[in-house]
Amino acid sequence: MASAQKDVKNACDKPVYLTFDTGHMAVAPLIAEVLARQQVQVTFFAANERTQVGDGSLGEHWAPWWKARAAEGHAFASHTWDHAYWRADLAGKDGKGAFRIRPSAGADAGKDLNWDTATYCANIEHAAQRLKALTGIEPLPLYRAPGGKTSPKLLAAAQSCGYRHVGWAPAGFLGDELPSDKWPNERLLAQALRDIRSGDILLAHLGIWSRQDPWAPAVLEPLIAGLKARGFCFRTLREHPDLQGWIAAHSRPAGSAR
């Protein structure tokens, strides 16, 4: 009987996949409190971004925060180490991919750089390895390009080193990067509750520098509660049907290197 009750509890006919990219991290503790209170697990895409408090978002100051999220069962994936934006495809040597990249974090922030496939892959891998060191668990073989900016060649380059890109659904853009004078929290909440559909991947951030009225945690808890009231349930990308095959094929055994 207990087993049957557990199966009913875990049944999920209308899943959504809430994801967070890193940011200035000031709201990260509040977001964690909401997720724990609502018993929702999410997927975090992490880069080593500048923060309001402490060192980078993957630095030592935030190490206990990441460790605690792992203990709560959340999933993790790379957002590139330097929050590296794709700007253009370039002609690479020997027909291999090359790209113009502009990091927004790290020593080269704001500079346009020319990276080959190996350099781009190493930047994805650096964040993944740091996540593993912080959380003690293997990150997913997934990544998200900053801003969602990609090209077919860039996606092929990432896949060649074992990482599949994950974007978000149109309705899943939760708007925390938009100016709050034109997009107040009440409007963003109402739009999300109206438009989100089963299977959508949702995107928010652990703090946005430019938004005057922070989206989180003000919108986060009523959004979660409102979606639950509409019959939705929350899952990590480990359970996304379109990604499970890739994850199974490209996850590395414990202790191995890619």
Side-chain angles (χ1 to χ4, degrees):
M1 185 60 148
S3 177
Q5 290 176 342
K6 183 178 180 181
D7 289 342
V8 171
K9 181 181 178 181
N10 291 336
C12 189
D13 295 330
K14 293 173 62 178
V16 291
Y17 305 87
L18 180 56
T19 70
F20 284 91
D21 294 353
T22 38
H24 61 55
M25 300 296 284
V27 296
L30 299 174
I31 288 172
E33 289 176 8
V34 171
L35 297 178
R37 188 161 51 244
Q38 291 289 334
Q39 297 185 308
V40 164
Q41 293 178 337
V42 305
T43 305
F44 293 101
F45 287 89
N48 192 40
E49 298 188 63
R50 181 170 63 98
T51 63
Q52 287 189 5
V53 179
D55 45 10
S57 51
L58 290 175
E60 287 304 313
H61 178 88
W62 290 100
W65 189 90
W66 290 109
K67 186 69 173 179
R69 304 293 77 74
E72 292 165 348
H74 299 287
F76 307 92
S78 176
H79 195 32
T80 74
W81 177 255
D82 290 315
H83 203 248
Y85 283 89
W86 171 87
R87 304 282 289 172
D89 291 337
L90 303 173
K93 296 180 180 179
D94 303 322
K96 295 182 179 180
F99 315 98
R100 181 166 294 118
I101 300 291
R102 182 180 295 176
S104 69
D108 292 320
K111 299 178 182 178
D112 281 341
L113 308 174
N114 294 345
W115 285 4
D116 59 14
T117 292
T119 304
Y120 188 69
C121 284
N123 211 261
I124 299 173
E125 178 72 10
H126 191 171
Q129 286 300 309
R130 179 58 177 163
L131 279 167
K132 182 177 180 179
L134 291 171
T135 64
I137 64 175
E138 193 69 49
L140 300 175
L142 308 172
Y143 92 108
R144 175 172 288 153
K149 298 182 183 299
T150 65
S151 71
K153 287 185 178 180
L154 189 80
L155 299 182
Q159 289 194 15
S160 74
C161 52
Y163 289 95
R164 178 168 166 178
H165 185 263
V166 178
W168 53 88
F173 176 72
L174 298 177
D176 61 348
E177 296 175 279
L178 299 173
S180 53
D181 57 341
K182 296 179 180 179
W183 292 87
N185 285 334
E186 295 80 5
R187 180 181 179 185
L188 293 176
L189 175 60
Q191 177 176 281
L193 290 174
R194 181 192 69 211
D195 294 344
I196 287 171
R197 298 292 182 266
S198 178
D200 281 353
I201 296 174
L202 316 181
L203 166 69
H205 297 79
L206 299 176
I208 292 293
W209 290 91
S210 61
R211 188 170 174 86
Q212 296 301 308
D213 185 14
W215 179 91
V219 178
L220 179 59
E221 192 144 30
L223 174 63
I224 291 173
L227 290 174
K228 285 180 175 179
R230 288 160 172 77
F232 291 95
C233 44
F234 291 82
R235 295 292 182 262
T236 72
L237 293 178
R238 287 185 297 248
E239 300 160 279
H240 195 292
D242 294 341
L243 299 174
Q244 285 181 323
W246 176 273
I247 291 170
H250 294 86
S251 292
R252 28 186 160 177
S256 67
R258 192 176 299 280

